[in-house]
Amino acid sequence: MVQSFYDCVTNDNEILLVHYLEGWRELIKFMDSMGSVFGFISHETMTKINILQGYLDGENGKSYKTIKSMINYELENQVVNFKYLPSKQVPSGCRTLLRMHRALKWLEVFLYKVGTSPGHDKTSEMCAEAYHKTLSHYHSWFIRQVAEVAFLAMPPVEDMYKIVCVKDHEEAKVVLLTTVDSIVKVYNITQELYTINNMLDLP
Ligand SMILES: CCCCCCCC/C=C\CCCCCCCC(=O)N[C@@H](COP(=O)(O)O)[C@H](O)/C=C/CCCCCCCCCCCCC
């Protein structure tokens, strides 16, 4: 997963969509190993990945090589709807990736919290705190309630260490903060692209 997020970023600071999606697929594996209660989040994430993969594999796939080329292509071809979400069309790549981009901020804050905590804080509380600071701002009341219930099922920190294959807190800290580092780079480049194109609020 870390490798995919590092591989995302080219020497010209472009983000390769194929590796971006690969990083997300790896994240889903972590989530799936935490139990079926996270199934709906996993399913939601997979739906977004599949939309983008569909564009990447489609007839205009070359235009979806990087996030920047996707934005340019979709803006030039009026694929992005700035006013509402058309109900009978596949959502645009830009709109879909924006949802994942917002979730990446949650992940960055959450992993940073776990990595820098003394090792005995509750994962459910760290997860909820990260969610309240970030992704929750974009979710309806209903989704926020469902998310709160899922957080209660978060495994204890020791079990999370097993999931990321580390033996103790010190080792976890290195792995988690390296992961955060790879995510921050991807997040910042994407954020800048969406900011200059006025696309941070796509419906
Ligand atoms: C050391 C530990 C490693 C931990 C690894 C965790 C891996 C987590 C991976 C993914 C995180 C969640 C991704 C959630 C994507 C949400 C996208 C989204 O916001 N969708 C909403 C908006 O879409 P549209 O309706 O506008 O198309 C959608 O409404 C939301 C649907 C339900 C998802 C609610 C997710 C809220 C929880 C986020 C925290 C996840 C905690 C998981 C913990 C393992």
Side-chain angles (χ1 to χ4, degrees):
M1 184 260 287
V2 178
Q3 195 59 50
S4 299
F5 281 117
Y6 273 126
D7 289 347
C8 263
V9 185
T10 69
N11 293 336
D12 302 332
N13 272 350
E14 292 232 26
I15 296 175
L16 297 165
L17 198 53
V18 70
H19 293 301
Y20 186 88
L21 297 181
E22 205 40 58
W24 273 100
R25 286 195 189 92
E26 293 298 320
L27 282 170
I28 289 181
K29 286 186 197 163
F30 283 124
M31 209 162 26
D32 287 346
S33 60
M34 287 186 207
S36 55
V37 71
F38 299 102
F40 80 101
I41 305 177
S42 189
H43 180 268
E44 156 66 9
T45 314
M46 208 56 221
T47 303
K48 301 279 189 266
I49 293 174
N50 287 342
I51 292 173
L52 287 163
Q53 189 65 51
Y55 282 120
L56 203 49
D57 295 339
E59 54 180 335
N60 301 307
K62 279 193 186 141
S63 305
Y64 286 81
K65 189 169 180 218
T66 67
I67 295 184
K68 190 176 179 181
S69 66
M70 171 184 79
I71 292 176
N72 290 340
Y73 170 79
E74 291 201 339
L75 287 179
E76 279 162 19
N77 291 278
Q78 287 84 44
V79 179
V80 185
N81 195 316
F82 283 81
K83 295 206 175 95
Y84 61 93
L85 175 63
S87 58
K88 287 188 180 136
Q89 270 167 254
V90 178
S92 65
C94 290
R95 188 256 178 215
T96 304
L97 194 129
L98 177 61
R99 270 58 190 172
M100 298 170 82
H101 172 65
R102 291 169 176 167
L104 210 53
K105 189 66 182 178
W106 162 77
L107 188 65
E108 176 202 317
V109 174
F110 172 57
L111 296 184
Y112 183 80
K113 270 181 193 293
V114 180
T116 54
S117 79
H120 45 70
D121 292 342
K122 279 186 164 177
T123 49
S124 54
E125 283 172 12
M126 290 187 276
C127 185
E129 266 177 47
Y131 178 70
H132 298 150
K133 272 193 185 166
T134 58
L135 197 51
S136 72
H137 302 300
Y138 306 102
H139 286 165
S140 64
W141 180 87
F142 178 74
I143 293 289
R144 292 202 303 271
Q145 306 314 302
V146 178
E148 298 294 339
V149 175
F151 297 152
L152 298 176
M154 291 286 289
V157 78
E158 296 76 18
D159 290 5
M160 286 194 93
Y161 291 169
K162 282 185 204 142
I163 288 167
V164 288
C165 303
V166 294
K167 60 177 185 314
D168 57 28
H169 184 64
E170 280 315 300
E171 207 182 321
K173 195 171 167 174
V174 176
V175 171
L176 294 172
L177 296 184
T178 307
T179 310
V180 168
D181 184 58
S182 71
I183 290 173
V184 166
K185 284 198 180 75
V186 173
Y187 181 87
N188 287 347
I189 295 170
T190 312
Q191 180 74 5
E192 196 185 334
L193 284 172
Y194 272 75
T195 304
I196 57 179
N197 288 289
N198 280 322
M199 295 208 301
L200 285 168
D201 294 313
L202 292 180

